[in-house]
Structures are given as C-alpha cells and as structure tokens.
Amino acid sequence: MEPHRERAGRHLKKGRKRRRGPNMLVGAAEAMRARWELEESQPEAKKARLSTILFAENCEVTHEQLCELLKYAVLGNSNVSKPSWCQLFHQNQLNNVVVFVLQGMSQLHFYRFYMEFGVLRKAFTHKFRLPPPSSNFLADIIGLEKKQTTGDLSKMVEGSLPSTSSKVSISLQNAPIIQKYGSKKVGLTRCLLTKEEMKTFHFPLQGFPDCENFVPTKCHGSITDNSPLFGLDCEMCLTSKGRELTRISLVAEGGCCVMDELVKPDNKVLDYLTSFSGITKKILNPVTTKLKDVQRQLKALLPPDAVLVGHSLGLDLRALKMIHPYVIDTSLLYVREQGRRFKLKFLAKAILGKDIQCPHRLGHDATEDARTTLELARYFLKYGPRKIAELNLEALASHQELLAAGQGPRNTAEVVQQSNTSVLECLDLMGQKLLFLTREAETSELSSSRNCQTIKCLTNKEVLEQARVEIPLFPFSIVQFSFEPFSYKLTEEMNKRMRSKWTEMSTVYAGPFSKNCNLRAVKRLFKSFGPVRSMSLVLETHQPHLCIQYEVLEAAQLAIESLDGILVESTCIKVQRPVTELTLDSSTLVKELEQDSENRGTIYLSGVNQTFKEHLLQQSNIFLGLEAVILPKDLKSGKQKKYCFLKFKTFGSAQRALNILKGKDWKLKGRHALTPRHLHAWLRGIPPESRRTPGVRVIPPPSEQQALQVLKVDHPKIAAWRWGRKIGKLYHSLSPGTLCLILLPGTKSTHGSFSGLGLMGIKDEEESTTPKICS
C-alpha cells in the first residue's frame, strides 16, 4: 500500500502508479471470480474498490478473515493471499487504511438506533456481521498472537539482519561508529549534525555567501529526543545554471508520504539525468509547480522542531535552496573508515533487508529513498552504535558475495508466507508504522507492540481531535472510541423489542372482507407479494380481516402500496401495519431504509422461479449496470425461495430494470429493497420465543426510560447520533483512496454475547459493473 501523494493529476512515470448468502448457482461463482481476476488485470482501472457482494455465509466475517483483508490492503497480491470473503480491486491504488472501533457497541446498537446512525449508514456501502468479540478484539483483527510480544517482534527484526563470518570480525572498539558515538544507545539530539559538521560537509547555512537567496524553513523550536523526523529526498536535472530541482518527496515518521511534487526548473534543461532521477521531458512538460511553490509548501508542512533526515542531505537542501538547522545525514550517521560513505542502496540491503534503486526500474524513487533514510535513522536510534558495529558493514561492503551467498536478510515473501504474520509485521516490512489512538483506560496488546505509535487520550473528544491531526501522517491507523455498554439484562430486553419491531413492521392487517368472499383467492393475492410466515383470519371485528406476517419487510411494504384502498368483491379494503409504539415511526423508517447506501440500487422481486433465473442469465445484457443477483434459499429444505434481490450500479439502472420486470413480459411484483443483506440474514433466524402477537403494547423498562432522559454524552443512543456524525465528517475529510472500516465489535459477558457489525468502504470508490450471482 502506497502512501498518499498529491500530484495534481500528474504521474511520475509509466507503470509507477500507487499502488455465502449460502450456495451459488452451479459454475457461477467460478465464472465470476475468473471475470474479477481478468478485470483486476486491466490497466485502465484508476481507483481501488471493493466488491459489492461478500462471499460470507450469512454475511458473518470472522476476525481472522478481517485480518486477511487488512494484510492484503498493506502488502497486496504479490506477497499475501487475497481475502477469502471479499474482493479488493487495485490494491496498489490504496492510499491509507483507517479503522474506527466503537468499543461497547454491537449490531444491536446499530439497528436499535438506526435513525441516529444516519450519516454512517448512508456513507458506507458494505456491511457485514461480526462474531461476538474475544477478550482482545484488536489483537485478533491485527493478527497478534498471545505469545507474540514486543520481544518477539524485535527478534524477528534482528533475525532479518545479515550475518557475518568470524573471518571478517573486527575489534568493536576500533570501529569508526564506536569511536564517534560510543557503544551505548544514543538519543536523537546526539545524531544531529553540529554547525561545524554542517559547515565541513557544505550544508547551506545562514549568512554564508553562497546562500544569500536561500529560504530558511523557520524551524527554530526546541529539539528533544522526541522531536518528529521527516525523511527528505530530491531528484535533480542539469540546466544551463547547474543542477536544479525536478522532484521532492517528504515522508513523515509513520511512513506516510506527506509531500511528493514534480518541479519545473527555472532554466533550460540540458540533461534530465533520467537514469538517476527517472524524470523525462514528457513528464515535466505539463508541470507548472516551481521552486518557490515547494519552498512555501515545505515551510507550511514542517513543525518548529522538525528534524530532516536524508542521505547526502546537503545536496538536497541546496537543490531546494533552503536552510534547515536540524538534520540527520545517514551517509554520515553510519560512519565509514577514512571519511568514505556507504551508499544508500547498500545500507538499505545490509541494515533493513530491502532492495531499492533496482536496475530494472527507470531511475530512483524519491519517496522510497526518503522512507529508507527515515528507517535507517530509526534503526540507529533503536539498536545503537554497538549493534551496527557488530554487523561489520565495512567487510560486507567489500565482500558483496556474502549477500549473494544467502547470508542476507529475509525478504518480504519469506516473512509473509507464515500463516501467523500480523498486520504489524506487514507494515514493518514496508518501513511503516501503525497509529493507535485510544482512551487511557483501555488496555490492549497493541499498545506495547514495537511497530505501533500509541497515543492515549483522556476522552473520546480528545481521541477525535488527535485523529484529525495524526491520521494523514500514517498509512495505517486504528482509532478506538469507548462507550459504556448497556447491562446484559437491558441489552437482552432491547434485543427482544428490536426484533419485535421488525416483526411488526413485516405484518399487515387487511380488511374488511365480505363474509362470502373467496378467501382462498385473497390469500393467494397476498402471498404473491412475498414469502408468508403466517396468515390468520381475524373474527373479532364486525367483518372478517386477515393478519399476514411476511418473512421480509419488502413483501409487507409492497402489499400495503399495492392493495391499500382497492376493491375486493365490491368492498374497499384497507391494508396497514398494526399501530403500536414500535411501529409509530414505520413510515419514516421505511424512507430511511430506502436511502441506506446498501439498498440504493437494489430491487426486490417476488414471483421468481427457476425459469426466471435462467432467463435472467441469458438476457442479462438488457439490464444495464446489473452487479449481483441474490437468490435466498430455505434454511431447512434448501429449496429456492420465490423472491430475490437484484443489485445495480446506480439507482437509475435499478429503476429501469424494475419497470421492465414489472411489465407484461415478466409479470413480476417488486419494489426497491429495504433490508440490507446482513440484516435479512440475521432476522431470518429470529427465535420463535422472541416474537409476540402484533399489537401488544410494550413498555420500555424504567431503567431505559431513565437512561434516555439523562441523555449522557456517552449513552449509546446519543453517542450514535453525535459520534456517527463526527466520524462521518472525519471520513469525508480523508484522502481519496482510503480504505475505511467502522467496527462495532459486539459485547460479551458471563450472561451472554451479542454479535458485532462492520461497515466498510473506500473513499471515492469506483463501483463495479461486473454482475455477480449468489444464493
């Protein structure tokens, strides 16, 4: 996963873009997967996107499967297997991954306070159920095993260092790095170049005659060992006035690229130095950014105590024509004998185990080089001079055959082939860190992990404020909000009432009917709108009525819209839901369900049979934008039900298809969908004891009435509205190409457990046009 880059529509070089409902129809899954594979290989696709149909039984995604997706989002197809439950297309176009965790909330909270979660349910197209959480939910979704501690990760890193034979061992006390820094670990301030050293190595300095027109960064804050590091690398070309800047890359300490700009030289270009810079005349022709623009941008980006890290950094600062007082130069940090310097490519391989500046690529990657210098500085600070002296870099540089003989570090593929590889290890292989924002009171193994930048806050509000600032600086972020969960007794009662609400909304009363009417024909009429769970005759009234309880909400709504007010054997009948406190807002809720992002573009059809399915497959070309066909089956018999859902790319495509399918050629009944697929799967499994006779009054227990009157900020009802809006606003501020997940982990106690819910989407996602078929 590549960090975010802003290029105003420019590309640096070609090829360097940043990079089951149950059973399916026979052969359909394989065919569709093959089509997806073909589609992913197409070069014209520009944006990362997710599939619209999740290949998960009953739409439940395990924590291990969630970890699969996160690892794939970090490393991509070349190093880890694709997630087994969904499709992520064009992973190399992802810019960031952000996971929001709403600790203390569950799927029940989401649908109990469905109206309050309006912003999130409209923003995220993909929703799925999560199993009840374990004791450490975060460790599960990141892939941290209980046995894995900070020490284990350190051993992994240490194990990746090159080994040397005893024949080339040297006296550590004579090592140049020990003579300069000593054998103990040093802090950041000790690694900074002094003013005398900067003068010796020709860094631009204030007041020097050759720096008269240079621009200072105005970073004059107090430097500490906790000051932020920024990796910097520049590419130059040769002009009539000497070397001039053509590209600048700046990488924050988390590994995220915060600046990557092409720059148009002020003077005539004599040599683009393409073999080093990768820059060509064609690439620079449309560029309008000038040196003064990047100078202004760099000054705005750097905090007062920023420390710049680079390799031969003086040359980069001179190309920028800027002066900065706090620098770490990795070509001088890793001291070599007789004043010579190690090449960045060599240090990257010997210290970090990574190959950069590969010969098959055209020129250097400035972002990759900037990130590498940052990693080298972090390694030095973590392990100290003695560890580096033990590597005997001088001997390794003189004996490259040691690396060729297999004594070099483990590569990415060797690490990720292990099934227990965590997301943290994947990030470490990319030279990146994970950002973890949480409350002080929360504990997690994640907080103590080596490759994790943990920031603990006192309140949810502070977590949100920190997230706005820190998320853009890290390629992978986990932001955890903590809410007080309901008691188990109250949660169980709320669960029963919520399920009763959906049951009542799926129930209709119809009548009056004449005593001599053909009830069999009337029942057939109501059954034509969808699967019926029960149908009974009501004789308490002067004239007979029918009570019909449908299996799906769409069938009940369709019956109301189609039959209310019609004449049945000369009698005008009324079709309506039972009126209780649970159905008072049903009309509003139905409208909101239609606007749910997962329902937009999806239609419900009743009256389908096997002929319909075959006909649809044969003539799918007449339904433009068809993406998926969802064909539910009876859980007990396995037989195909007589209704289905069709998902289209746009609302307009769905409307056109609905008009066709309700026409004379197809003669089906249908409307726009109301029930998201994961919710439908959940509601299908309602236990009989949780249902009640429609119309019976339910009074919320005093405990909830009191809780809602108090309206505490962290009460789930208020939190749903307040924090749903705040997180939604933060999501809309993220950079395009950001994979974002909202996780309500679920709740678990000694009394019982409740499933969680996940919402997922990619900012500015480009939707698929490939139909997928599942049942």
Side-chain angles (χ1 to χ4, degrees):
M1 180 183 64
E2 289 286 340
H4 177 53
R5 302 179 182 182
E6 295 181 3
R7 292 197 188 87
R10 299 184 297 271
H11 296 293
L12 292 179
K13 54 190 98 157
K14 190 173 181 180
R16 290 292 303 281
K17 298 174 187 174
R18 285 189 313 135
R19 325 204 204 258
R20 311 196 219 182
N23 308 318
M24 304 209 172
L25 292 177
V26 179
E30 292 77 8
M32 292 307 163
R33 279 194 179 277
R35 198 179 301 179
W36 290 346
E37 296 286 350
L38 178 63
E39 182 180 349
E40 185 164 25
S41 67
Q42 299 303 309
E44 66 270 16
K46 300 295 184 183
K47 295 181 182 179
R49 58 180 175 78
L50 290 157
S51 67
T52 55
I53 291 297
L54 307 175
F55 289 91
E57 190 76 18
N58 294 326
C59 302
E60 182 170 279
V61 177
T62 67
H63 301 151
E64 292 77 14
Q65 289 174 323
L66 203 53
C67 185
E68 286 177 6
L69 172 65
L70 296 178
K71 288 195 290 186
Y72 183 73
V74 173
L75 288 180
N77 187 38
S78 59
N79 294 308
V80 293
S81 57
K82 293 183 178 182
S84 60
W85 58 281
C86 70
Q87 291 284 329
L88 171 58
F89 298 109
H90 313 298
Q91 172 275 343
N92 61 340
Q93 299 297 324
L94 281 180
N95 289 326
N96 303 81
V97 177
V98 181
V99 181
F100 293 103
V101 179
L102 278 57
Q103 193 66 36
M105 291 194 178
S106 65
Q107 179 174 230
L108 173 62
H109 288 84
F110 185 82
Y111 284 105
R112 173 63 179 84
F113 306 121
Y114 184 82
M115 306 290 280
E116 286 76 13
F117 275 114
V119 175
L120 295 185
R121 59 182 162 79
K122 291 176 183 177
F124 290 90
T125 306
H126 313 285
K127 302 181 184 71
F128 50 89
R129 191 168 62 188
L130 292 169
S134 66
S135 57
N136 198 333
F137 173 75
L138 288 178
D140 289 344
I141 65 171
I142 293 300
L144 289 177
E145 297 182 2
K146 291 185 178 179
K147 65 180 181 179
Q148 187 184 63
T149 63
T150 304
D152 295 323
L153 282 172
S154 297
K155 289 177 183 177
M156 186 276 291
V157 175
E158 290 174 18
S160 70
L161 294 171
S163 60
T164 56
S165 69
S166 58
K167 293 182 181 180
V168 294
S169 63
I170 61 171
S171 171
L172 295 184
Q173 294 305 316
N174 294 329
I177 200 166
I178 296 294
Q179 291 178 351
K180 179 173 181 178
Y181 296 105
S183 59
K184 295 182 179 180
K185 294 181 182 180
V186 298
L188 182 152
T189 53
R190 179 69 179 85
C191 300
L192 297 175
L193 291 183
T194 65
K195 189 171 183 178
E196 281 302 313
E197 287 175 319
M198 293 177 73
K199 181 179 178 181
T200 301
F201 295 110
H202 308 294
F203 276 74
L205 292 169
Q206 196 86 38
F208 277 54
D210 60 342
C211 303
E212 290 178 356
N213 298 320
F214 280 39
V215 177
T217 57
K218 294 186 178 180
C219 293
H220 298 297
S222 178
I223 295 295
T224 69
D225 287 342
N226 294 319
S227 292
L229 301 177
F230 291 85
L232 176 70
D233 188 69
C234 296
E235 302 296 345
M236 283 80 82
C237 68
L238 188 63
T239 72
S240 56
K241 297 291 184 179
R243 290 181 181 265
E244 291 191 45
L245 184 71
T246 54
R247 182 184 175 188
I248 174 176
S249 290
L250 186 72
V251 176
E253 195 164 356
C256 188
C257 182
V258 294
M259 182 179 179
D260 190 3
E261 289 286 345
L262 292 170
V263 184
K264 177 87 82 175
D266 292 327
N267 299 289
K268 182 180 178 180
V269 177
L270 303 178
D271 189 342
Y272 287 92
L273 304 176
T274 304
S275 60
F276 298 102
S277 67
I279 304 297
T280 63
K281 181 178 180 180
K282 183 178 180 180
I283 290 172
L284 277 190
N285 270 343
V287 176
T288 58
T289 304
K290 305 293 282 187
L291 179 62
K292 62 182 180 181
D293 298 319
V294 297
Q295 289 174 336
R296 183 166 54 250
Q297 190 176 348
L298 193 60
K299 285 173 66 176
L301 279 172
L302 294 176
D305 61 340
V307 176
L308 291 181
V309 182
H311 200 78
S312 299
L313 186 58
L315 297 176
D316 296 320
L317 289 172
R318 286 190 173 275
L320 282 167
K321 293 188 177 180
M322 296 190 77
I323 296 171
H324 187 78
Y326 312 123
V327 297
I328 295 176
D329 192 325
T330 49
S331 71
L332 301 172
L333 184 67
Y334 287 81
V335 187
R336 195 175 183 185
E337 294 176 352
Q338 300 174 351
R340 293 179 296 167
R341 303 192 193 189
F342 292 114
K343 292 182 178 180
L344 181 62
K345 179 181 175 69
F346 168 77
L347 289 176
K349 183 68 174 176
I351 300 295
L352 306 173
K354 50 190 289 193
D355 294 304
I356 66 170
Q357 302 174 0
C358 299
H360 66 273
R361 296 191 304 198
L362 183 63
H364 298 176
D365 183 337
T367 301
E368 180 183 60
D369 290 355
R371 186 178 290 117
T372 301
T373 61
L374 200 55
E375 292 175 55
L376 288 170
R378 283 168 46 197
Y379 186 95
F380 188 97
L381 292 170
K382 179 173 179 59
Y383 293 104
R386 182 179 179 84
K387 180 67 181 179
I388 294 160
E390 290 173 350
L391 296 177
N392 201 352
L393 296 177
E394 192 67 49
L396 287 175
S398 303
H399 299 84
Q400 290 288 340
E401 64 269 17
L402 288 178
L403 294 178
Q407 293 180 318
R410 295 185 300 169
N411 59 33
T412 301
E414 290 173 328
V415 174
V416 299
Q417 281 171 0
Q418 302 176 20
S419 60
N420 61 350
T421 303
S422 71
V423 172
L424 283 172
E425 288 175 287
C426 293
L427 286 167
D428 195 54
L429 290 167
M430 301 295 290
Q432 299 170 345
K433 295 178 73 174
L434 181 148
L435 170 68
F436 180 40
L437 286 166
T438 187
R439 296 264 296 268
E440 285 279 4
E442 296 296 324
T443 58
S444 172
E445 290 181 37
L446 196 58
S447 303
S448 58
S449 299
R450 180 189 63 82
N451 200 38
C452 176
Q453 178 70 46
T454 301
I455 300 176
K456 292 199 170 185
C457 307
L458 295 176
T459 64
N460 283 335
K461 182 179 179 181
E462 190 179 338
V463 170
L464 182 70
E465 291 171 350
Q466 287 288 334
R468 291 193 184 106
V469 176
E470 299 292 339
I471 283 177
L473 302 179
F474 289 81
F476 196 113
S477 305
I478 295 179
V479 182
Q480 180 171 263
F481 300 98
S482 301
F483 303 99
E484 189 67 30
F486 283 151
S487 67
Y488 175 79
K489 182 178 180 181
L490 184 57
T491 302
E492 181 61 33
E493 184 62 33
M494 190 169 67
N495 181 44
K496 290 180 180 178
R497 291 199 308 277
M498 199 282 293
R499 288 173 176 251
S500 294
K501 181 184 182 79
W502 287 96
T503 300
E504 290 190 8
M505 288 189 61
S506 300
T507 300
V508 298
Y509 282 91
F513 297 101
S514 66
K515 295 179 181 179
N516 299 319
C517 76
N518 186 343
L519 281 179
R520 182 174 296 181
V522 171
K523 289 182 178 181
R524 275 201 309 270
L525 176 63
F526 279 93
K527 286 181 179 179
S528 69
F529 295 102
V532 172
R533 180 168 278 140
S534 67
M535 188 180 297
S536 58
L537 195 61
V538 179
L539 300 175
E540 300 298 323
T541 53
H542 175 64
Q543 289 179 283
H545 286 68
L546 277 178
C547 174
I548 307 102
Q549 187 180 113
Y550 288 99
E551 288 184 19
V552 293
L553 180 60
E554 288 84 356
Q557 186 65 25
L558 189 56
I560 293 171
E561 294 168 347
S562 303
L563 301 181
D564 186 34
I566 71 165
L567 290 175
V568 176
E569 296 186 2
S570 303
T571 303
C572 181
I573 66 168
K574 187 169 184 62
V575 182
Q576 61 185 344
R577 291 188 175 89
V579 180
T580 72
E581 71 279 1
L582 295 182
T583 61
L584 285 174
D585 63 349
S586 59
S587 296
T588 303
L589 184 54
V590 166
K591 290 179 182 178
E592 289 297 316
L593 284 166
E594 287 178 330
Q595 297 302 313
D596 191 297
S597 61
E598 197 167 354
N599 294 330
R600 294 282 294 173
T602 302
I603 60 175
Y604 162 82
L605 295 172
S606 178
V608 303
N609 50 35
Q610 192 64 39
T611 304
F612 161 77
K613 290 182 291 184
E614 294 173 354
H615 196 189
L616 182 72
L617 291 173
Q618 293 167 0
Q619 301 188 38
S620 60
N621 59 316
I622 69 173
F623 299 109
L624 299 178
L626 177 63
E627 290 184 314
V629 183
I630 303 168
L631 305 164
K633 288 187 176 180
D634 186 274
L635 295 177
K636 293 181 179 179
S637 67
K639 292 182 179 180
Q640 186 68 51
K641 297 218 173 201
K642 294 183 179 181
Y643 71 95
C644 72
F645 294 89
L646 303 184
K647 185 170 181 59
F648 292 84
K649 184 177 180 182
T650 66
F651 180 83
S653 297
Q655 184 62 58
R656 285 190 293 272
L658 187 60
N659 292 337
I660 294 172
L661 292 165
K662 289 168 64 177
K664 61 180 181 178
D665 293 332
W666 295 79
K667 298 180 181 178
L668 298 174
K669 292 182 172 66
R671 74 173 319 279
H672 289 280
L674 298 173
T675 316
R677 186 169 171 238
H678 68 279
L679 177 63
H680 179 57
W682 184 33
L683 294 176
R684 277 192 304 178
I686 295 177
E689 59 270 18
S690 70
R691 304 186 196 120
R692 64 190 181 88
T693 304
V696 176
R697 178 174 169 77
V698 176
I699 302 175
S703 53
E704 184 176 2
Q705 286 185 329
Q706 184 178 1
L708 294 179
Q709 290 169 358
V710 174
L711 297 183
K712 291 181 178 179
V713 172
D714 282 346
H715 184 283
K717 181 179 178 68
I718 305 306
W721 178 81
R722 184 186 301 271
W723 291 99
R725 290 170 64 89
K726 289 179 182 292
I727 295 171
K729 187 175 181 181
L730 181 57
Y731 167 72
H732 287 299
S733 72
L734 298 176
S735 62
T738 297
L739 171 63
C740 184
L741 290 90
I742 309 288
L743 302 180
L744 287 67
T747 57
K748 192 172 186 179
S749 69
T750 55
H751 301 288
S753 58
F754 292 91
S755 299
L757 181 73
L759 296 85
M760 178 171 66
I762 297 175
K763 180 72 182 303
D764 295 342
E765 170 178 356
E766 182 178 81
E767 293 293 346
S768 168
T769 57
T770 305
K772 311 164 189 78
I773 301 172
C774 64
S775 58

